[in-house]
Amino acid sequence: MMTKVKTQGLVTDLMPNIKLMQAAGHFLFNYHSDNSGMSMLLRKVYSSVHAVLIVVNYVCMAINMAQYSDEVNELTANTITVLFFAHSVIKLLFFALNSKSFYRTLAIWNQSNSHPLFTESDARYHQLALTKMRRLLYCICGVTVLSVASWVTLTFFGESVRFIANKETNETMTEPAPRLPLKAWYPFNTMSGTMYIAAFALQIYWLLFSMAIANLLDVMFCSWLIFACEQLQHLKAIMKPLMELSASLDTYRPNTAELFRASSTEKSEKVPDPVDLDIRGIYSTQQDFGITLRGAGGKLQTFGQPTPNNPNGLTQKQEMLARSAIKYWVERHKHVVRLVASIGDTYGTALLFHMLISTITLTLLAYQATKIDGVNVYAFSTLGYLTYTLGQVFHFCIFGNRLIEESSSVMEAAYSCQWYDGSEEAKTFVQIVCQQCQKAMSISGAKFFTVSLDLFASVLGAVVTYFMVLVQLK
Amino acid sequence: KYSVFVAFAPHFKALARVAYFKIVSKDESNAKRMLYELYRFMMWFFILLYNIQHLIRVIQVRHSTEQLVDTLFILLTTLNCLGKQVAFNARSGRIHKIIETIQESTFAPTKPYHLDLLKKNAVSMSQILSFYQCGCLTCAALWTIFPFINRTRGREVTFTGYLPFDTSVTSTFYLALAYMSVLITIQAFGHVTMDCTIVAFYAQAKVQIKMLRYNLEHFMDADEENIRIDTQITGTNYEQNTHKVNTNDIIIMTQKRLTNHVDHYEKIASFVKEVESIFSEAMIVQFFAMAWVICMTVYKIASLSILSVEFISMAMYLGCMLGQLFIYCYFGTELKVESEFICQSVYCGDWLSLSPSFRRKLLVFMTYCSKPLALRTAYIIPMCLDTYIAVLKSSYSLFTFLNRN
């Protein structure tokens, strides 16, 4: 019987995505409940069969492109299609070669720290992340199915021809071609009959699965980013209660009226009690004068001293709670930093390949778009390709951008809480966190570019520029 | 004991072989040194002669664009190479000082992870050097074969350098061909080795930053003297299991570690600045030569058909130029990216167990390290992959524009 596979962390959150990826034929063999040799073999066979079918059909399309490369329009259209589906083949291969890296990233959040004060906030933001990830998955699945449906529908409109260049007269003629969603070379005649239906069915399957392969991997990447962003939101949300908690660590509550008295005459520095020596010696409060004129946060809690010496009446337990809360915050932030670094290492190269191919595709599409002369099949298909390609780029740019914004806004959260009431420890904590957050956490495509909305804007700008220039040159 | 200089050994050996630069060792006999000086003088003489020949020819054919472009290709590349050679020789004192810095104790590995990093770096540097050397020797061989093939096909072959005698006679032709190809092979080899050496300096800086980052992330870890620092919050006591030392030693130890790291970073930053300043003029020459060559190549390629021999040789030449620019930009970016993460490494260390006063010291360090080590050419052009992509984009736009016209 299939027992529920025990998963934790990110794997639990991303289980639907993982299951869909396994169904689509990715080489994802972990996270099954039943790991016997037979079922493993079956799964490997399943993935290999999908891989073979996808690559073989892709090669057939490439052969078709090479066959009819004389006529410019035909060549351009076929090149765009071939490049469009290069994403799927590359992503399939990339996952197969890099699956260890993916498993490592998925396992990063298996152990996470917790603190009794913040479990409620943690759970709330985790649930938010989960909702967003699910919503994204459904949205992208819907878009994929819609794209395949509209592609198949569009096949039945217009005349199914291909352009041939007449060698003698140098003009373009049309010759009839099979009415299939994709132009590909098959070893059998697909003009009509059972072979035609078989080829049609194969192509529908192929369209669905190759689009699913490419999109599901992108969805996984964006889900990781959503998770990281929600963790940062959680950290920002608990900053204020954290500072209030650590403010109570402060032994001196200044009298407000006293604060604003002219204190220029008070030159004598407040020498701390010599008994304040920290016997551990990791730090000694003798060096911690601070602004002790008004005593604001100048003195640390003494340790190893009996409680009656404690002016604020805090118990040791409360002090420990405050200190451990800061520790929780910092450890959680470091964990998020590790997660983002791992995501960048895992997926950066795939993003680089994606952007490379998308750039070439968009250049060709800009050229194709200049030839649109009316509301016909050509216009719809060109605009469809354009929207889909730009949409793919937009998809990961927007989540990359959100990560950058969230990670740099942690500094604002740190500033907006009452850090000036905090203890010395809390204030240096705020300082170090602010210094760290000045460099925003970002995902880079193998150091060539940063994934942000700037990238999308530059891509869109380039496409529009090319289009305008080409229209002028016509 | 692992010497950091191992990563540079193949580079300087190759440079010495073509008399471009030699690390002077104390225990060489006078006779050997004299011989080597003679060898160097001869190399310089022939290289300068080669360049002057090409310069004369440029003036000779200044009215014929086709031949002018052909000669300028070679001349600009060799001038580029000459610029770097002059930098290596005129500033050899500073280069020796840098080599000494590399061999100092600050840069030496102190942990097994460091050793691992340095070894990997040495391997990849020698791999890059061999790759580029093979590439340049292949290109030089092809450059030699093409006139030979053209000659056997009966086409007229003009050399790109000024020669005072007629080259249509077979014996003088072969003599001239041998002379030209030997010199250009030597220059190409030296050029590529110099590029790889400069890049190896930057790669070494990057590896040092990686080592520093590792040290910072393990700032509060136990060190070699087996002093364990266990901080445990039980109640309000930090319990400390120390074997023989008391609290004062721990303060001294953490202070010493911080001093070492600050010193390490200071040395790395000044090392990078020094390398950048030694080769700054050579980089300017390289940049201008490259820009010019790319424009001319693109201009020439746009008018050629795809499968002609000339197109292939032009495309290969363009590929070499872009490959040369690529390693500079790539390692410049690697260095910059690595240095941006130093601040994060301090954060990922265990600063929570340090006192607020010590944290303030760390904070000064973090603030200083937040400025990345970004390399620049000619003070305005950053040496990073963005520049490379901009160069690619502009040459592609130029190509498209010229093609359509």
Side-chain angles (χ1 to χ4, degrees):
Chain A
M1 270 292 116
M2 258 275 257
T3 51
K4 219 47 167 74
V5 52
K6 271 191 39 176
T7 57
Q8 31 175 328
L10 275 171
V11 179
T12 324
D13 298 340
L14 288 172
M15 209 31 138
N17 197 351
I18 292 177
K19 286 279 175 254
L20 277 173
M21 279 173 71
Q22 287 169 340
H26 268 292
F27 289 85
L28 218 180
F29 302 125
N30 280 17
Y31 316 123
H32 288 283
S33 51
D34 170 24
N35 279 330
S36 68
M38 194 59 199
S39 35
M40 265 310 206
L41 186 65
L42 274 173
R43 284 179 209 128
K44 289 202 170 121
V45 165
Y46 179 78
S47 298
S48 318
V49 164
H50 275 295
V52 161
L53 278 173
I54 287 180
V55 171
V56 159
N57 202 32
Y58 187 73
V59 167
C60 291
M61 284 167 62
I63 294 177
N64 176 66
M65 177 179 90
Q67 248 184 341
Y68 296 102
S69 55
D70 294 326
E71 213 279 322
V72 168
N73 290 329
E74 185 75 18
L75 178 64
T76 320
N78 285 338
T79 314
I80 290 177
T81 315
V82 163
L83 283 175
F84 191 78
F85 288 102
H87 288 301
S88 313
V89 175
I90 289 181
K91 292 217 160 94
L92 188 64
L93 217 65
F94 183 80
F95 189 88
L97 294 173
N98 265 14
S99 38
K100 288 238 172 357
S101 188
F102 278 89
Y103 295 148
R104 192 177 45 236
T105 310
L106 282 168
I108 268 197
W109 210 267
N110 280 356
Q111 268 23 4
S112 65
N113 59 351
S114 66
H115 193 272
L117 280 178
F118 304 127
T119 41
E120 185 265 327
S121 172
D122 193 8
R124 180 159 34 101
Y125 282 100
H126 187 213
Q127 196 52 42
L128 259 171
L130 214 60
T131 324
K132 287 192 179 159
M133 290 197 269
R134 296 270 187 277
R135 214 181 288 157
L136 179 71
L137 182 65
Y138 297 150
C139 179
I140 297 294
C141 284
V143 165
T144 311
V145 169
L146 192 69
S147 311
V148 173
S150 39
W151 194 310
V152 172
T153 319
L154 209 61
T155 320
F156 292 110
F157 289 87
E159 33 172 52
S160 90
V161 292
R162 62 166 76 96
F163 294 108
I164 303 283
N166 193 338
K167 291 264 171 24
E168 292 95 52
T169 59
N170 235 15
E171 55 178 43
T172 47
M173 308 182 313
T174 60
E175 82 165 16
R179 192 178 276 275
L180 289 172
L182 297 163
K183 293 205 174 105
W185 169 89
Y186 290 116
F188 41 85
N189 181 15
T190 50
M191 282 305 282
S192 58
T194 40
M195 282 293 120
Y196 168 73
I197 298 188
F200 203 96
L202 172 72
Q203 290 203 346
I204 293 183
Y205 149 80
W206 195 84
L207 273 176
L208 188 65
F209 272 70
S210 50
M211 280 200 192
I213 282 177
N215 288 347
L216 284 173
L217 207 58
D218 278 341
V219 167
M220 178 169 270
F221 168 70
C222 294
S223 305
W224 287 337
L225 292 181
I226 291 175
F227 187 81
C229 289
E230 292 306 319
Q231 286 297 323
L232 288 171
Q233 291 265 39
H234 161 57
L235 286 173
K236 286 190 324 188
I238 63 173
M239 183 65 104
K240 211 171 170 84
L242 186 68
M243 291 309 285
E244 282 168 7
L245 186 63
S246 93
S248 58
L249 257 187
D250 195 10
T251 57
Y252 184 86
R253 279 285 182 221
N255 182 356
T256 332
E258 205 181 85
L259 274 175
F260 292 98
R261 205 173 303 160
S263 53
S264 52
T265 51
E266 213 175 40
K267 286 299 177 204
S268 63
E269 280 194 351
K270 190 172 166 191
V271 178
D273 193 346
V275 108
D276 267 354
L277 269 176
D278 183 350
I279 54 169
R280 281 159 317 290
I282 294 195
Y283 47 88
S284 135
T285 54
Q286 261 182 343
Q287 296 159 4
D288 259 4
F289 287 158
I291 320 150
T292 52
L293 285 173
R294 297 178 196 137
K299 263 169 44 160
L300 279 165
Q301 208 61 326
T302 64
F303 313 104
Q305 300 283 327
T307 333
N309 265 5
N310 187 336
N312 234 17
L314 279 182
T315 63
Q316 293 177 349
K317 201 162 167 222
Q318 283 170 312
E319 187 198 286
M320 183 180 98
L321 201 65
R323 196 164 275 124
S324 65
I326 295 184
K327 190 175 169 79
Y328 166 81
W329 199 102
V330 174
E331 291 302 320
R332 186 50 79 95
H333 195 225
K334 285 192 214 173
H335 204 173
V336 176
V337 166
R338 277 206 311 273
L339 172 67
V340 170
S342 182
I343 296 174
D345 288 335
T346 304
Y347 210 65
T349 322
L351 287 171
L352 178 66
F353 285 133
H354 189 125
M355 285 311 297
L356 211 63
I357 295 181
S358 292
T359 313
I360 306 175
T361 315
L362 285 167
T363 319
L364 291 172
L365 278 169
Y367 170 63
Q368 289 285 74
T370 57
K371 293 186 289 186
I372 293 181
D373 50 4
V375 181
N376 50 16
V377 171
Y378 179 78
F380 275 114
S381 65
T382 310
L383 285 175
Y385 272 116
L386 209 53
T387 335
Y388 195 92
T389 316
L390 283 173
Q392 275 184 322
V393 175
F394 183 74
H395 181 216
F396 54 76
C397 282
I398 196 156
F399 288 108
N401 198 61
R402 186 156 173 248
L403 178 70
I404 294 176
E405 285 185 355
E406 284 296 339
S407 61
S408 36
S409 69
V410 173
M411 184 160 56
E412 283 154 30
Y415 183 75
S416 65
C417 63
Q418 281 149 340
W419 47 269
Y420 36 79
D421 279 340
S423 59
E424 277 308 298
E425 280 190 39
K427 284 195 294 229
T428 48
F429 153 70
V430 169
Q431 265 183 306
I432 291 187
V433 162
C434 283
Q435 185 61 43
Q436 157 66 10
C437 292
Q438 282 191 349
K439 176 181 183 296
M441 290 194 274
S442 61
I443 306 284
S444 84
K447 300 189 187 89
F448 273 81
F449 53 83
T450 315
V451 176
S452 70
L453 281 176
D454 289 334
L455 178 69
F456 178 71
S458 79
V459 164
L460 190 62
V463 170
V464 170
T465 314
Y466 266 129
F467 178 71
M468 292 298 182
V469 168
L470 289 170
V471 157
Q472 290 297 323
L473 284 178
K474 259 180 87 164
Chain B
K1 265 208 85 166
Y2 187 80
S3 159
V4 178
F5 187 71
V6 164
F8 297 90
H11 300 79
F12 282 104
K13 220 187 285 182
L15 281 177
R17 208 172 293 145
V18 280
Y20 271 46
F21 184 82
K22 187 164 160 77
I23 300 183
V24 182
S25 57
K26 311 283 183 242
D27 53 326
E28 248 182 18
S29 64
N30 262 340
K32 256 194 159 176
R33 206 175 295 171
M34 292 294 290
L35 264 173
Y36 189 78
E37 286 298 315
L38 187 66
Y39 176 48
R40 255 185 67 180
F41 176 73
M42 273 182 54
M43 272 296 176
W44 267 101
F45 173 71
F46 278 116
I47 288 174
L48 282 171
L49 183 65
Y50 187 86
N51 280 305
I52 292 175
Q53 279 179 304
H54 279 76
L55 204 59
I56 295 176
R57 187 168 162 83
V58 162
I59 300 173
Q60 262 185 342
V61 297
R62 65 185 179 279
H63 297 301
S64 150
T65 330
E66 178 92 15
Q67 301 196 2
L68 183 65
V69 162
D70 279 335
T71 314
L72 269 180
F73 267 128
I74 305 283
L75 182 61
L76 284 174
T77 321
T78 52
L79 279 181
N80 187 0
C81 176
L82 195 65
K84 289 186 191 134
Q85 197 180 350
V86 163
F88 262 91
N89 283 293
R91 298 189 168 145
S92 62
R94 286 167 73 176
I95 295 184
H96 276 110
K97 232 187 242 140
I98 289 189
I99 296 174
E100 272 167 37
T101 323
I102 292 176
Q103 292 166 311
E104 268 174 24
S105 61
T106 337
F107 281 16
T110 49
K111 298 191 168 82
Y113 180 76
H114 293 175
L115 209 59
D116 209 25
L117 278 175
L118 284 168
K119 284 194 179 146
K120 270 198 212 134
N121 180 53
V123 164
S124 72
M125 283 297 111
S126 73
Q127 276 175 348
I128 291 177
L129 180 68
S130 339
F131 176 71
Y132 272 87
Q133 277 175 341
C134 287
C136 100
L137 287 174
T138 320
C139 283
L142 287 173
W143 208 267
T144 316
I145 293 178
F146 280 152
F148 190 68
I149 292 181
N150 277 341
R151 175 73 189 252
T152 48
R153 279 211 192 141
R155 290 202 222 133
E156 192 208 331
V157 174
T158 45
F159 285 107
T160 47
Y162 164 75
L163 289 162
F165 43 82
D166 182 28
T167 54
S168 44
V169 181
T170 322
S171 57
T172 49
F173 174 79
Y174 284 126
L175 200 65
L177 182 64
Y179 167 74
M180 289 284 174
S181 39
V182 162
L183 273 177
I184 200 157
T185 310
I186 290 179
Q187 287 187 79
F189 187 80
H191 194 179
V192 146
T193 313
M194 284 193 294
D195 281 334
C196 288
T197 314
I198 299 175
V199 158
F201 284 132
Y202 292 137
Q204 181 62 231
K206 174 199 134 191
V207 167
Q208 289 295 326
I209 292 186
K210 267 204 156 93
M211 285 162 56
L212 173 66
R213 279 187 58 203
Y214 180 80
N215 285 342
L216 286 169
E217 278 167 15
H218 296 87
F219 189 73
M220 292 300 283
D221 280 7
D223 64 0
E224 315 85 84
E225 283 96 64
N226 268 327
I227 301 173
R228 294 200 317 126
I229 306 173
D230 266 331
T231 54
Q232 249 181 312
I233 300 182
T234 57
T236 55
N237 283 338
Y238 284 112
E239 264 174 24
Q240 177 192 36
N241 303 324
T242 59
H243 288 312
K244 46 176 174 123
V245 295
N246 54 26
T247 60
N248 242 356
D249 277 1
I250 295 196
I251 300 179
I252 294 175
M253 192 199 76
T254 45
Q255 179 77 1
K256 185 158 170 287
R257 276 189 182 173
L258 181 67
T259 322
N260 284 343
H261 296 330
V262 168
D263 199 32
H264 194 186
Y265 182 71
E266 178 96 40
K267 285 239 160 61
I268 297 173
S270 63
F271 172 74
V272 168
K273 261 199 201 65
E274 177 69 2
V275 173
E276 200 183 356
S277 112
I278 289 178
F279 297 108
S280 56
E281 288 89 5
M283 291 290 118
I284 296 176
V285 168
Q286 156 146 329
F287 179 75
F288 279 117
M290 190 162 298
W292 195 279
V293 163
I294 288 181
C295 290
M296 283 195 319
T297 316
V298 164
Y299 170 74
K300 219 160 178 243
I301 277 190
S303 58
L304 293 173
S305 74
I306 284 212
L307 287 172
S308 61
V309 162
E310 262 218 295
F311 181 84
I312 295 180
S313 69
M314 284 284 111
M316 222 173 44
Y317 189 73
L318 188 62
C320 289
M321 284 276 111
L322 289 175
Q324 185 192 26
L325 185 62
F326 179 72
I327 33 167
Y328 280 109
C329 291
Y330 182 74
F331 281 95
T333 310
E334 287 260 313
L335 181 63
K336 176 161 174 257
V337 164
E338 204 64 46
S339 65
E340 278 171 356
F341 281 120
I342 297 181
C343 195
Q344 185 171 300
S345 289
V346 178
Y347 186 75
C348 289
D350 193 16
W351 55 271
L352 270 179
S353 52
L354 294 167
S355 74
S357 65
F358 204 89
R359 290 181 196 178
R360 283 188 210 108
K361 295 181 201 172
L362 274 183
L363 208 54
V364 175
F365 182 55
M366 280 172 89
T367 318
Y368 183 59
C369 291
S370 57
K371 178 167 181 282
L373 294 173
L375 299 169
R376 286 174 179 272
T377 310
Y379 302 111
I380 42 175
I381 305 158
M383 202 188 278
C384 64
L385 284 171
D386 295 329
T387 313
Y388 191 68
I389 291 179
V391 164
L392 286 178
K393 267 195 195 154
S394 335
S395 23
Y396 182 66
S397 307
L398 188 66
F399 175 70
T400 323
F401 188 68
L402 287 174
N403 221 4
R404 239 154 255 289
N405 274 1

